[in-house]
Amino acid sequence: MASTTEKPPILDIPDEDYGDISTATMLDLYYYIRLAREMELRLINLFKQNKVVGGLYPGYAHEATTVGTALALGDDDVLLPLHRDLGAQLARRQPLKYIFAQYMGKVDSPTRGKDGNVHLANPELNIVGCISHIGAMFPVAVGISYAGRLLGKTVVTMTYTGDGGTSIGEFHEALNFAAVLNVPFILVVENNQFAYSTPTNQQYKVKRIADRAAAYGIAGEQVDGNNAMAVYAATRRAVERGRRGEGPTLLECMTMRMMGHSVHDPAGYVPRELLEEWKAKDPVARIERYLLRKRVLTPADVKDWTARLQREVDEAVEFAENSPLPQAEDAARGVWAEEGPAKSLH
Amino acid sequence: MASTTEKPPILDIPDEDYGDISTATMLDLYYYIRLAREMELRLINLFKQNKVVGGLYPGYAHEATTVGTALALGDDDVLLPLHRDLGAQLARRQPLKYIFAQYMGKVDSPTRGKDGNVHLANPELNIVGCISHIGAMFPVAVGISYAGRLLGKTVVTMTYTGDGGTSIGEFHEALNFAAVLNVPFILVVENNQFAYSTPTNQQYKVKRIADRAAAYGIAGEQVDGNNAMAVYAATRRAVERGRRGEGPTLLECMTMRMMGHSVHDPAGYVPRELLEEWKAKDPVARIERYLLRKRVLTPADVKDWTARLQREVDEAVEFAENSPLPQAEDAARGVWAEEGPAKSLH
Amino acid sequence: MPTTTYIDAISEGLREEMRRDSTVVCLGEDIGVYGGAFKVTDGFIEEFGAARVLDTPLAESSIVGMAIGMALRGLRPVAEMQFADFISMAFNQLVNNAGTLHYRFGFKVPMVVRCPSGGGIHGGPFHSTNPEGFFFHSPGLKIVAPSTAYDAKGLIKGAIRDDNPVLFMEHKFLYRRVRDDIPEGDFAVPLGQALVRRPGKDVTLVGYGSTTGMSLEAAKILAEEGIDAEVVDLRTLVPMDLETVIASVKKTNRVVITHEDRRRGGIGAEISAEISENAVDYLDAPVVRVAALDTPVPFSPPLEEYFLPSAAKIATAARRVARY
Amino acid sequence: MPTTTYIDAISEGLREEMRRDSTVVCLGEDIGVYGGAFKVTDGFIEEFGAARVLDTPLAESSIVGMAIGMALRGLRPVAEMQFADFISMAFNQLVNNAGTLHYRFGFKVPMVVRCPSGGGIHGGPFHSTNPEGFFFHSPGLKIVAPSTAYDAKGLIKGAIRDDNPVLFMEHKFLYRRVRDDIPEGDFAVPLGQALVRRPGKDVTLVGYGSTTGMSLEAAKILAEEGIDAEVVDLRTLVPMDLETVIASVKKTNRVVITHEDRRRGGIGAEISAEISENAVDYLDAPVVRVAALDTPVPFSPPLEEYFLPSAAKIATAARRVARY
Ligand SMILES: Cc1ncc(C[n+]2csc(CCOP(=O)(O)OP(=O)(O)O)c2C)c(N)n1
Ligand SMILES: Cc1ncc(C[n+]2csc(CCOP(=O)(O)OP(=O)(O)O)c2C)c(N)n1
Ligand SMILES: [Mg+2]
Ligand SMILES: [Mg+2]
């Protein structure tokens, strides 16, 4: 597919052939994309109220990519999301309340306050949380897929990187391992055109990151990352390739970081026009207009959903606010598996 | 250029256009290639006599690549050779006696016995020795070239990797840095078809490593690594690109490891036929036949050279044998620059 | 109130060195146009240009590898790790490459790696660590860790002028909480000199970086209880000024060793071992360490507080030792 | 002469575990067709197939990263570093990823990284190191270091059965120089238990790996001089059996700590610090360490010999302590 930066802006999801996507899936896309958006906005609010502990790296306007990719996985597949991928966590059914509890450092988060913000796992849901060091999860994902093979199961693994993260050595190592071992591994590049303050022309000189797939003899695809239908369809193709034993895929989703790198960052280095151009391509509005046009949704539905989402977010925030902070002494416990719980993916 | 493995074996250096290569250069190629060969054979002998300390990783049959590449550099350029590149050290005028002294752990080697075998530097000659960890020298080479730019000088840097070493993350990182910074950096891939026991089809799934250049937006070239003329010509093109400000080059030289990974390794995993096929392409015999055909050499010359080379090797070995072992207490000295000499490249 | 913060002192020192010596060059992620995640190089790209204040792609191993190459070829690079934690990506380059080039080949490798380190800011396991303990075990790498704004400026200059690879541990918690009046004019703090920050006769509190301030605070508390603590600030960790430490222990006969890095295999163990080897007869009490727990740095505030050393914990240890 | 070498004991233990448990899987460079650089997995690919004895491309960070993933998804991977030195490439994966996954998320990470380590074979700076000191400082990683063939077999089994990431330090110099008669049948040495290899009353010599044999040799020399040394072999470095060490020191009142890893910030420092904190009143002499120099491992034989610990150096230190 063509780079979205080469074409005139597509303000709506075009009527292309996205393959056989059921109405239920379209509604799931819509639901999780909107939920991710509402959650992000609430997190930003909570941050301003000093209720968020630590930093906040908004995935705002990345929802079509994060949700569209994660929804294409099956339950036995494994998701390893990165720092802008709360949408993927939600699509994987990570409970919203856990996310808020995590951001507030509360004991009822899956890390019991030991880790923060996006470093969220859920062994029951086959979600592995990332470490901050970009690149580290790539070979881990390859190993999970490979384990699946030895255990007689096709386990597709999917992990993420930003455009900046593609400069790290493990991008190369893991894609090469996956190619040689021919495992069903999907590396999603969320190309949001900046790595913190660094624009892509200072990060790489190749035209499209997806073209790097050729350097490993694997499939590569570039897709409009603000078009949830296209993202989902492309990811499903990648998943199916993996299930058919055709190995890994490098999937580049073109999007734009509409806020600062973190809430602290005013992002003065981003050209105004770029933001305006991409504002028109907002992924939430686009999927909504598309589903209205396709009569999957009615304007009345949209209103109902809005109320429902507000309620869900309110409840989750309430849960998190009521959850206690962890006991101080718990800091000293849990380094070793002997201390329990000693969970696994399944 | 086409992969040598695709064509029927070329038993002689073909009469292609290698550009403007002077007779003096051809003779230099011949001299250093033969010197490297004689040195390797003597090292193997010394190893059998238990006079070599530590391991020995023969660069036998890699001479056209190691010498052909290194000879294309200028004095201000910087060479960072790897573990099969003694030929490159020689072409850079690293004194032969130092190499023998180094292998015997003697005090008159440039490392004064502190490091061994191929880990040989020479600040005066702008040679930086490698560490064993494959990949580590790549970004160092990029940094040296970049320093040249800041100091107002074009410093071409050249370093090496085997086919196996291309799997390491820093292959990707350094090529990408060099591309983005557009520095004159040449990465020579000595593709000898095995990484220790691992054949290339278990190392990568791309057809040619040189094609990976496209993943960085840089120049890539594959060349017959046993054809000294072709290697020299390709390297000169790369050097000139660098000097013209056209950035880095990935240069893949196709060759074959004719001995074990190290002298300890009987290499039973290498198919016999492969060795026979490549024996016919021996780089020493080929350059010799070529120069005789071109009347750059006469049969009488060859005989004279043989005697001269023997003498040179004998003298160097004698020097090394007579050099004392280092003083034990010297082990404790020299970690800090304050202890001297504190040298630099120039 | 003193005027220069710890972080501004680093900026000033760095800027002055870049003005003084055109071979001093900065590189790292987002240090140019953005001025660095903590703004240490804010304004540098305007003054020195994009070539000398180099925004790199995201890859620490190659940032450090490049710095090594630059140092070999006549520059004095100062590489920034966006957070000290990410130095783990460059571990091999530092330990095996930078640290051995002089011993093996006689090359000087004048380079500095700036490491914004330390906890107390709720950064969680990967934005809060103190990685000096790993590199302390490795030959050929100097390590400095200022505790005051004066030292932050003096030591960054000392580090840049040094001909060896130097890890500069700048503590994020101190960035804007610690200030000094810094004298006009050029000065560098030489590497390898500890300082007695507070003389005392009953117990030695030896630490560096963030625990120096904690120890001074503990000393105040202890003074009220009649315990007169001597506070030794190491400032440089490699090479370490053990003479000053041991002289203090020989005077007070009691010692508490402190650091914010984890306890097991930390720098405090080495200090303790050196004391036991060289001053065991002077000891009137166990040698006690106050350091972080041997766990990842936990995220949630009560956990992190429990994890970290503090003035109160140092005072408790000092009491135990003083009353032994 | 005892029949099983240290290296064969590792092979046997590994093979038996692969037979016993189909989730045990090996991966690394040249371990399959070639059987490993040291032939530890010789014949494995024939018995277990190429999928369970996986020849990987050359990239240690991804070998370890893959092993983490395999462990998360129900396998018990055993990754081989071709030489322990190359573990520096996987530093980040081990320290920040493997070591924190249980603390943060409750995952078990049952994996072993085999590290052919140590000097004395003229391997030079990058084929001779003992990297345990770096990882000792990091939470969440167990470390074992057998000194006998019996322990080599028992500890590889114990490590494979453990639900945590374990670094298995196998000493190359001992590979074919150390032998045992190993009992038939399945046995595993549990992690975390030190052993008194030789009881004695005058001085404790505590070490692990290659220095255990040196200490036993030193004890013989010392016995002839009337000094009765107790030799403690740590066997597991994390978690460390400090009780056994401290009980011995309380008995002998004198201690020499030994390891082949470098001295500064090495494991010996921690042992010394623990003794000083918990048994200072029992000490009748300085706590002395015998370890490698704080330099790269030099290549040439006289330099390497000077660099390394030895029975003679341990005996000298023990004399100093015994006669203090
Ligand atoms: C190895 C490593 N180095 C540095 C960082 C600090 N850091 C966090 S996010 C980031 C920018 C990442 O950019 P990109 O990959 O494009 O992802 P984006 O934030 O744009 O989604 C940086 C430098 C890190 N997390 N890991
Ligand atoms: C990071 C790292 N891992 C492992 C090794 C051990 N090792 C040395 S050479 C080698 C094979 C290299 O193969 P290749 O790159 O093809 O070079 P060749 O030896 O064939 O010239 C290996 C595995 C190493 N030196 N560095
Ligand atoms: Mg980005
Ligand atoms: Mg090879």
Side-chain angles (χ1 to χ4, degrees):
Chain A
M1 279 182 205
S3 159
T4 57
T5 51
E6 289 169 2
K7 290 200 237 168
I10 303 156
L11 300 189
D12 259 315
I13 294 182
D15 281 324
E16 284 172 17
D17 179 14
Y18 298 109
D20 177 29
I21 301 182
S22 70
T23 306
T25 299
M26 288 190 221
L27 288 172
D28 271 356
L29 283 170
Y30 179 67
Y31 167 62
Y32 287 114
I33 284 173
R34 288 212 52 195
L35 185 61
R37 173 65 56 94
E38 296 301 329
M39 174 196 63
E40 292 274 3
L41 293 174
R42 186 65 67 92
L43 278 171
I44 292 167
N45 256 331
L46 290 166
F47 187 89
K48 287 183 187 148
Q49 296 166 42
N50 273 322
K51 287 182 176 171
V52 164
V53 179
L56 182 62
Y57 306 83
Y60 183 95
H62 293 52
E63 299 92 345
T65 289
T66 57
V67 171
T69 48
L71 262 188
L73 291 182
D75 286 349
D76 290 344
D77 299 328
V78 175
L79 182 79
L80 304 93
L82 209 71
H83 62 287
R84 294 205 199 279
D85 303 328
L86 289 176
Q89 300 250 8
L90 290 177
R92 189 70 189 187
R93 292 179 299 288
Q94 180 75 272
L96 189 60
K97 62 183 181 179
Y98 285 170
I99 296 178
F100 284 108
Q102 169 92 348
Y103 270 89
M104 296 182 191
K106 298 301 186 73
V107 78
D108 292 309
S109 81
T111 70
R112 302 182 61 79
K114 289 199 174 151
D115 207 341
N117 47 66
V118 293
H119 300 173
L120 206 82
N122 196 322
E124 283 71 31
L125 298 172
N126 277 336
I127 302 175
V128 181
C130 63
I131 68 171
S132 294
H133 300 68
I134 292 177
M137 304 318 289
F138 307 162
V140 174
V142 174
I144 294 169
S145 282
Y146 187 76
R149 175 183 303 165
L150 287 190
L151 296 167
K153 223 168 174 177
T154 301
V155 177
V156 178
T157 52
M158 187 157 71
T159 187
Y160 297 79
T161 175
D163 39 288
T166 66
S167 300
I168 276 276
E170 278 164 318
F171 171 86
H172 171 74
E173 293 186 1
L175 285 176
N176 188 50
F177 269 61
V180 168
L181 299 173
N182 197 38
V183 290
F185 164 61
I186 302 171
L187 180 53
V188 179
V189 180
E190 283 171 87
N191 191 333
N192 63 7
Q193 309 189 44
F194 285 86
Y196 209 148
S197 71
T198 310
T200 52
N201 67 345
Q202 283 182 265
Q203 298 174 43
Y204 54 83
K205 286 292 174 200
V206 68
K207 214 161 158 218
R208 300 177 199 178
I209 291 172
D211 292 344
R212 287 185 167 164
Y216 308 101
I218 63 170
E221 200 169 330
Q222 192 188 54
V223 70
D224 176 352
N226 282 17
N227 175 345
M229 298 294 292
V231 169
Y232 178 81
T235 313
R236 223 173 47 172
R237 282 193 292 279
V239 169
E240 280 159 14
R241 259 193 302 274
R243 293 211 202 289
R244 282 197 306 269
E246 293 169 19
T249 297
L250 179 62
L251 179 63
E252 181 179 17
C253 301
M254 299 304 299
T255 182
M256 175 66 202
R257 205 189 69 208
M258 300 300 291
M259 296 185 164
H261 172 67
S262 71
V263 184
H264 288 103
D265 169 21
Y269 49 80
V270 176
R272 266 272 192 98
E273 313 79 66
L274 204 56
L275 291 173
E276 260 147 45
E277 178 196 330
W278 282 85
K279 203 171 166 197
K281 297 192 242 177
D282 182 68
V284 178
R286 281 172 88 195
I287 181 101
E288 189 166 292
R289 286 198 301 264
Y290 181 78
L291 295 187
L292 287 168
R293 201 165 80 228
K294 294 279 168 194
R295 297 178 197 277
V296 173
L297 280 179
T298 66
D301 288 341
V302 172
K303 231 174 132 192
D304 286 355
W305 282 77
T306 304
R308 172 182 160 190
L309 291 164
Q310 284 306 331
R311 216 164 41 238
E312 282 193 47
V313 171
D314 288 344
E315 280 168 22
V317 172
E318 200 187 323
F319 169 90
E321 301 226 45
N322 290 335
S323 172
L325 287 166
Q327 290 290 313
E329 304 75 31
D330 200 37
R333 287 188 286 262
V335 165
W336 303 115
E338 293 82 310
E339 299 170 80
K343 298 190 179 180
S344 287
L345 301 170
H346 51 86
Chain B
M1 278 182 206
S3 158
T4 56
T5 52
E6 290 168 0
K7 288 199 235 168
I10 304 155
L11 301 189
D12 260 314
I13 294 182
D15 281 325
E16 286 172 15
D17 179 13
Y18 299 109
D20 177 27
I21 302 183
S22 71
T23 306
T25 299
M26 289 190 222
L27 287 172
D28 271 355
L29 283 170
Y30 178 68
Y31 167 63
Y32 287 114
I33 285 174
R34 286 210 56 192
L35 185 61
R37 172 65 56 93
E38 296 301 329
M39 173 196 64
E40 292 273 2
L41 293 173
R42 186 64 67 92
L43 278 171
I44 292 167
N45 256 332
L46 291 166
F47 187 88
K48 288 182 186 150
Q49 296 167 41
N50 274 322
K51 289 184 174 167
V52 164
V53 179
L56 181 62
Y57 305 83
Y60 182 95
H62 292 52
E63 300 91 346
T65 290
T66 56
V67 171
T69 47
L71 262 188
L73 291 183
D75 286 348
D76 289 344
D77 299 328
V78 175
L79 182 79
L80 304 93
L82 209 70
H83 61 288
R84 294 204 200 282
D85 303 327
L86 290 176
Q89 300 249 9
L90 290 177
R92 188 70 189 187
R93 290 181 300 287
Q94 180 76 271
L96 188 60
K97 61 183 183 180
Y98 284 170
I99 296 178
F100 284 108
Q102 168 93 347
Y103 269 89
M104 297 182 191
K106 298 302 186 70
V107 77
D108 292 307
S109 80
T111 70
R112 302 182 60 81
K114 290 199 174 151
D115 206 341
N117 48 66
V118 294
H119 301 172
L120 206 82
N122 196 321
E124 282 72 32
L125 298 173
N126 276 338
I127 302 175
V128 181
C130 63
I131 68 170
S132 294
H133 300 68
I134 293 177
M137 305 317 290
F138 307 163
V140 174
V142 174
I144 293 169
S145 282
Y146 187 75
R149 175 183 303 166
L150 287 191
L151 296 167
K153 222 166 171 177
T154 301
V155 177
V156 177
T157 53
M158 187 156 71
T159 187
Y160 297 79
T161 174
D163 39 287
T166 64
S167 299
I168 277 276
E170 278 163 319
F171 171 86
H172 170 75
E173 292 186 1
L175 284 177
N176 188 51
F177 270 61
V180 168
L181 299 174
N182 197 39
V183 290
F185 164 61
I186 302 171
L187 181 53
V188 178
V189 180
E190 283 171 86
N191 191 334
N192 63 7
Q193 309 190 43
F194 284 87
Y196 209 147
S197 71
T198 309
T200 52
N201 67 346
Q202 282 182 265
Q203 298 174 43
Y204 53 84
K205 286 292 176 202
V206 69
K207 214 160 155 220
R208 298 180 201 176
I209 292 171
D211 292 344
R212 286 185 167 163
Y216 308 102
I218 63 170
E221 199 169 332
Q222 193 188 55
V223 71
D224 176 353
N226 283 16
N227 175 345
M229 297 293 292
V231 170
Y232 179 81
T235 313
R236 222 173 46 172
R237 282 192 292 279
V239 169
E240 280 158 15
R241 260 193 301 274
R243 292 210 203 289
R244 281 198 305 269
E246 293 168 19
T249 296
L250 179 61
L251 179 63
E252 181 179 18
C253 301
M254 298 305 298
T255 183
M256 174 66 201
R257 205 190 68 207
M258 300 300 290
M259 296 185 165
H261 172 67
S262 71
V263 185
H264 288 101
D265 169 20
Y269 49 81
V270 176
R272 265 268 192 102
E273 314 79 68
L274 204 56
L275 292 172
E276 260 148 44
E277 178 195 331
W278 281 85
K279 203 171 166 196
K281 297 192 240 176
D282 181 69
V284 178
R286 282 171 88 194
I287 180 101
E288 191 166 292
R289 287 198 300 267
Y290 182 78
L291 296 187
L292 286 167
R293 200 165 79 230
K294 294 280 168 196
R295 297 180 198 275
V296 174
L297 280 180
T298 67
D301 289 341
V302 171
K303 231 174 131 189
D304 287 355
W305 282 76
T306 305
R308 171 180 162 192
L309 292 163
Q310 283 306 330
R311 218 167 35 241
E312 282 194 45
V313 170
D314 288 344
E315 279 169 22
V317 171
E318 200 188 322
F319 170 89
E321 300 226 46
N322 289 335
S323 171
L325 287 166
Q327 291 288 313
E329 304 75 33
D330 200 37
R333 289 188 284 263
V335 165
W336 304 115
E338 293 83 309
E339 299 171 81
K343 298 189 179 181
S344 288
L345 301 169
H346 51 86
Chain C
M1 178 147 89
T3 49
T4 308
T5 60
Y6 182 97
I7 190 167
D8 287 342
I10 300 168
S11 283
E12 273 178 28
L14 193 51
R15 187 185 286 110
E16 287 175 19
E17 289 304 293
M18 288 190 77
R19 284 181 185 155
R20 192 183 59 79
D21 179 352
S22 66
T23 67
V24 179
V25 176
C26 295
L27 74 164
E29 296 156 12
D30 308 295
I31 65 157
V33 171
Y34 194 62
F38 296 99
K39 300 288 179 191
V40 169
T41 52
D42 202 17
F44 279 41
I45 199 168
E46 288 80 3
E47 179 168 355
F48 303 109
R52 279 182 75 197
V53 189
L54 182 67
D55 272 327
T56 68
L58 196 165
E60 286 75 10
S61 183
S62 288
I63 291 170
V64 171
M66 256 195 87
I68 294 171
M70 291 158 85
L72 290 175
R73 188 59 188 74
L75 299 181
R76 295 188 170 272
V78 181
E80 175 177 301
M81 300 286 102
Q82 198 157 85
F83 283 80
D85 312 68
F86 302 130
I87 202 170
S88 56
M89 312 291 287
F91 180 80
N92 183 57
Q93 285 290 359
L94 286 164
V95 165
N96 287 313
N97 220 352
T100 71
L101 278 158
H102 190 268
Y103 187 76
R104 300 188 301 132
F105 303 141
F107 280 116
K108 66 176 178 182
V109 190
M111 58 183 274
V112 177
V113 182
R114 289 184 35 240
C115 302
S117 58
I121 53 159
H122 317 317
F126 311 114
H127 288 75
S128 308
T129 59
N130 298 277
E132 60 269 16
F134 294 117
F135 297 99
F136 182 76
H137 183 48
S138 198
L141 305 172
K142 295 192 176 179
I143 311 178
V144 299
S147 72
T148 66
Y150 178 92
D151 275 4
K153 181 164 182 181
L155 282 170
I156 190 75
K157 288 176 168 247
I160 290 170
R161 297 178 194 182
D162 198 282
D163 275 345
N164 300 281
V166 183
L167 306 183
F168 186 83
M169 299 292 156
E170 43 188 79
H171 201 290
K172 300 191 297 289
F173 189 84
L174 306 186
Y175 268 169
R176 294 187 167 85
R177 289 180 181 86
V178 160
R179 297 169 169 266
D180 271 328
D181 286 320
I182 291 184
E184 294 286 312
D186 183 45
F187 68 96
V189 171
L191 271 59
Q193 298 186 359
L195 202 67
V196 175
R197 292 263 175 221
R198 180 192 196 280
K201 58 181 195 335
D202 296 333
V203 55
T204 298
L205 310 178
V206 52
Y208 61 88
S210 67
T211 63
T212 296
M214 294 176 200
S215 297
L216 289 168
E217 214 182 306
K220 265 194 217 153
I221 304 169
L222 294 164
E224 287 168 21
E225 302 167 22
I227 299 170
D228 185 19
E230 173 147 314
V231 177
V232 178
D233 182 0
L234 291 170
R235 301 154 102 213
T236 300
L237 309 180
V238 179
M240 191 182 283
D241 180 1
L242 281 165
E243 267 173 55
T244 299
V245 176
I246 287 175
S248 175
V249 173
K250 285 188 175 171
K251 184 173 84 172
T252 65
N253 311 115
R254 291 169 156 85
V255 59
V256 174
I257 303 163
T258 67
H259 51 64
E260 196 191 294
D261 192 5
R262 284 179 274 252
R263 174 185 171 96
R264 187 178 62 229
I267 291 172
E270 181 70 21
I271 300 171
S272 173
E274 286 289 336
I275 292 169
S276 291
E277 180 146 0
N278 297 300
V280 76
D281 295 335
Y282 293 85
L283 288 175
D284 288 342
V287 179
V288 172
R289 288 174 291 162
V290 176
L293 297 181
D294 288 316
T295 70
V297 186
F299 171 74
S300 188
L303 301 178
E304 190 182 17
E305 200 181 313
Y306 191 80
F307 167 91
L308 287 173
S310 66
K313 291 177 193 175
I314 294 171
T316 303
R319 266 179 223 116
R320 174 185 155 202
V321 166
R323 293 177 188 150
Y324 188 79
Chain D
M1 180 148 87
T3 49
T4 308
T5 60
Y6 181 98
I7 189 167
D8 287 342
I10 300 168
S11 284
E12 274 178 28
L14 193 50
R15 188 185 285 110
E16 287 174 22
E17 290 303 293
M18 288 191 77
R19 285 181 184 155
R20 193 183 58 78
D21 179 351
S22 67
T23 66
V24 179
V25 176
C26 295
L27 73 163
E29 295 156 13
D30 308 295
I31 65 157
V33 171
Y34 194 63
F38 295 99
K39 299 290 179 190
V40 169
T41 53
D42 202 18
F44 279 41
I45 198 167
E46 288 80 4
E47 179 170 355
F48 304 108
R52 279 182 74 198
V53 189
L54 182 67
D55 272 326
T56 66
L58 197 166
E60 286 74 13
S61 184
S62 288
I63 291 169
V64 170
M66 256 196 87
I68 294 171
M70 292 158 84
L72 290 175
R73 188 58 187 74
L75 299 181
R76 294 187 170 275
V78 181
E80 174 176 302
M81 299 286 103
Q82 197 157 86
F83 283 80
D85 313 68
F86 302 130
I87 202 171
S88 56
M89 312 292 287
F91 180 81
N92 183 56
Q93 285 288 359
L94 286 163
V95 165
N96 287 314
N97 220 350
T100 70
L101 277 159
H102 190 268
Y103 187 76
R104 300 188 300 132
F105 303 141
F107 280 116
K108 66 176 178 181
V109 190
M111 59 183 274
V112 177
V113 182
R114 288 185 35 240
C115 302
S117 56
I121 54 159
H122 317 317
F126 311 113
H127 289 74
S128 308
T129 59
N130 298 277
E132 61 268 17
F134 293 118
F135 297 100
F136 183 78
H137 183 49
S138 197
L141 305 173
K142 294 192 176 179
I143 311 178
V144 299
S147 72
T148 68
Y150 179 92
D151 276 4
K153 181 165 181 180
L155 283 171
I156 190 76
K157 287 176 169 248
I160 290 170
R161 296 178 194 182
D162 199 282
D163 275 345
N164 300 281
V166 183
L167 306 184
F168 186 82
M169 298 292 156
E170 43 188 79
H171 200 289
K172 301 188 300 287
F173 189 83
L174 306 185
Y175 268 169
R176 295 185 167 85
R177 288 181 181 84
V178 160
R179 298 168 168 267
D180 271 326
D181 286 318
I182 291 182
E184 293 286 311
D186 182 45
F187 67 95
V189 172
L191 271 57
Q193 297 184 0
L195 202 67
V196 176
R197 293 262 174 220
R198 180 193 195 281
K201 57 181 195 338
D202 296 332
V203 56
T204 298
L205 310 179
V206 52
Y208 62 87
S210 67
T211 63
T212 297
M214 294 176 201
S215 296
L216 288 167
E217 214 182 306
K220 265 193 217 154
I221 304 169
L222 294 164
E224 286 168 21
E225 300 167 22
I227 299 170
D228 186 19
E230 173 148 313
V231 176
V232 179
D233 183 1
L234 291 171
R235 301 154 102 213
T236 300
L237 309 180
V238 179
M240 192 181 283
D241 180 1
L242 281 165
E243 269 173 52
T244 299
V245 176
I246 286 175
S248 176
V249 173
K250 286 188 175 171
K251 185 173 84 172
T252 64
N253 311 117
R254 292 171 154 84
V255 59
V256 174
I257 303 164
T258 67
H259 51 64
E260 197 191 294
D261 192 6
R262 284 178 275 250
R263 175 186 170 96
R264 187 178 61 228
I267 291 173
E270 181 71 21
I271 300 171
S272 174
E274 286 288 337
I275 293 169
S276 290
E277 178 145 1
N278 297 300
V280 75
D281 295 334
Y282 293 85
L283 289 175
D284 288 342
V287 178
V288 172
R289 289 175 290 162
V290 176
L293 298 181
D294 288 316
T295 69
V297 186
F299 171 74
S300 188
L303 301 178
E304 190 183 16
E305 200 181 312
Y306 191 81
F307 167 90
L308 288 172
S310 67
K313 290 177 192 173
I314 294 171
T316 303
R319 267 179 224 116
R320 174 184 157 203
V321 165
R323 295 180 186 148
Y324 187 80

